[in-house]
Amino acid sequence: AEIDVKKPNRLISRSIFNLYRKGVDEIKINYDDPIIIRDIYGYMPLLMGFEITEQGKNYSIIKNVMKINPDEFNSTMRRYFLITKSLADETYLALKENRFDEMEGLIELESVQNRLYMYLCRVIHKNSIVKNPTLLFLLIQRLEDIADDYKYICQYVTDLDGQIKISKPVLDMIKDTNKVFDLVHHFYYKFDNNTGKEIIESKKKIIKNGLKLLETVNKKEIRIIHIINGTIVKIYEASSPIFGM
């Protein structure tokens, strides 16, 4: 595949990432501005198995140098789930214990999750051996969105420079949301209709509670509640492709 780039912009990363996820093994990037080389190097950590194999005056070639083993899909998926769970749990604990200095580290953890997300999408597109590829892609996408939400909370608290105290009702809401994520994680590995029903009922209860909290909490906590209300919907939506599978 070949990309022509006129100037640095966000479309470069989108083009490269989409080709990577699609399963393309070699991408030539043509450009006029050499500063784009810096951007390309910045993207490489997310492209598992890819390296810059050639670089000229106005182009770079990035290429797959790693053979995909479809048998590793399950172990990578397990890591993907666990990192997402860790991000959720550690965000809650850092907020509960006022360890706001750890938020930047958690944002970095979300970058690790992104790397696995990209790789899993690539494996699905490259290997017909993966069962239920469309449903799996929907699940993987939702897990990536969920991790983004916890990252947004960490970024928000970091930007406030510790000038916030999370109240118990809001902490409880995050804790309850994380429990529903645990249910989805369990649901993926051991399908059970009762677990599915519990996920649905918990989602309704948490959203209802969150809407009530918006009327009573400190102004700085409102954004966190909005994010978590969106997160619980995404967690619920992650259970939908599992039902399908």
Side-chain angles (χ1 to χ4, degrees):
E2 196 163 343
I3 303 171
D4 293 317
V5 180
K6 295 301 181 185
K7 60 181 179 179
N9 60 62
R10 192 165 174 79
L11 290 177
I12 308 171
S13 62
R14 292 299 171 210
S15 298
I16 293 173
F17 294 163
N18 284 330
L19 288 170
Y20 174 86
R21 284 180 295 198
K22 190 177 179 180
V24 171
D25 287 322
E26 183 175 313
I27 306 170
K28 183 180 181 183
I29 305 141
N30 302 311
Y31 43 77
D32 296 329
D33 190 339
I35 198 172
I36 291 172
I37 298 170
R38 180 196 63 191
D39 295 332
I40 294 170
Y41 274 95
Y43 305 146
M44 296 310 294
L46 287 172
L47 308 179
M48 192 184 301
F50 265 55
E51 291 182 5
I52 296 175
T53 57
E54 189 176 338
Q55 188 169 299
K57 182 181 179 181
N58 56 358
Y59 76 92
S60 293
I61 294 176
I62 60 176
K63 191 173 182 179
N64 178 44
V65 296
M66 181 178 74
K67 185 177 180 181
I68 288 180
N69 182 358
D71 295 335
E72 294 178 359
F73 180 87
N74 289 335
S75 61
T76 306
M77 188 69 185
R78 191 175 295 276
R79 285 176 58 207
Y80 187 58
F81 252 119
L82 290 175
I83 286 178
T84 310
K85 172 178 165 54
S86 179
L87 181 59
D89 291 343
E90 291 302 318
T91 297
Y92 165 73
L93 289 173
L95 291 173
K96 180 183 178 183
E97 299 168 11
N98 298 316
R99 292 187 274 113
F100 301 140
D101 57 325
E102 297 181 10
M103 292 295 176
E104 288 189 10
L106 292 174
I107 293 170
E108 288 301 314
L109 183 61
E110 191 271 340
S111 296
V112 176
Q113 199 254 16
N114 273 345
R115 178 178 166 87
L116 294 178
Y117 157 72
M118 298 276 288
Y119 179 73
L120 288 169
C121 291
R122 181 172 172 81
V123 174
I124 288 173
H125 279 103
K126 290 282 283 185
N127 292 277
S128 59
I129 194 172
V130 176
K131 296 180 180 179
N132 302 305
T134 302
L135 293 173
L136 264 174
F137 184 84
L138 289 173
L139 172 60
I140 290 166
Q141 181 64 60
R142 268 293 164 253
L143 293 181
E144 200 270 339
D145 293 337
I146 290 164
D148 277 345
D149 281 351
Y150 288 100
K151 177 186 71 174
Y152 296 148
I153 291 174
C154 292
Q155 287 176 331
Y156 174 61
V157 172
T158 300
D159 290 343
L160 287 174
D161 197 23
Q163 301 300 309
I164 186 173
K165 173 70 176 176
I166 312 299
S167 62
K168 187 176 184 303
V170 175
L171 286 171
D172 287 344
M173 183 183 177
I174 298 172
K175 185 177 182 180
D176 290 342
T177 299
N178 290 0
K179 286 179 180 177
V180 182
F181 181 81
D182 289 344
L183 288 175
V184 171
H185 184 199
H186 177 76
F187 194 45
Y188 177 73
Y189 289 102
K190 188 176 181 181
F191 183 83
D192 177 9
N193 276 323
N194 289 330
T195 302
K197 291 177 183 177
E198 188 174 353
I199 292 168
I200 294 169
E201 292 304 316
S202 297
K203 186 260 294 190
K204 293 177 182 177
K205 183 178 179 181
I206 290 171
I207 289 178
K208 184 177 180 180
N209 178 53
L211 293 174
K212 286 183 179 179
L213 286 177
L214 287 173
E215 300 175 2
T216 60
V217 298
N218 181 286
K219 184 184 294 185
K220 289 180 179 178
E221 291 182 297
I222 289 175
R223 185 182 298 184
I224 294 176
I225 294 173
H226 274 302
I227 293 172
I228 291 297
N229 258 352
T231 307
I232 189 60
V233 172
K234 292 166 189 172
I235 291 172
Y236 161 74
E237 289 173 347
S239 68
S240 180
I242 298 175
F243 272 109
M245 288 186 278

